[in-house]
Amino acid sequence: MNWMYLGIAILSEVIATSALKASEGFTKPWPVLILAVGYASSFYFLSLTLRTIPVGIAYAIWSGVGVILISLLAWWLYGQSLDKAALIGIGLIVVGVVVLNLFSESVHR
């Protein structure tokens, strides 16, 4: 269940960050509402995750997967480019999350 909470926390953070861009400096009320609810939800579900998953591992996965998803959404929704260096960096984040999940004793306690 805690991994599901982490997934919800990640998705909530990604939605909130996307709404942050759409809020245009907090001038659009609906995106501001979405980002407030999204960030609150994200931190709530992240806190539930921390009951059993170590904080360093949960935060590494939360932030790493969030960066990947935000980068892809920014490319898709806002036409922001992902050059070779960005793609290599995203690839390294993916490798890091995989290594944490498959090989770290901290995750499997």
Side-chain angles (χ1 to χ4, degrees), residues 20-40:
L20 183 62
K21 167 76 172 154
S23 77
E24 296 181 16
F26 284 81
T27 61
K28 307 275 183 170
W30 286 110
V32 170
L33 179 63
I34 291 168
L35 77 88
V37 171
Y39 283 132

Side-chain angles (χ1 to χ4, degrees), residues 5-6 14 39 47 51 53 58 89 99 105 108-109:
Y5 290 152
L6 184 56
V14 168
Y39 283 132
S47 75
R51 292 179 187 170
I53 300 172
V99 167
E105 291 296 319
H108 302 293
R109 285 185 190 175

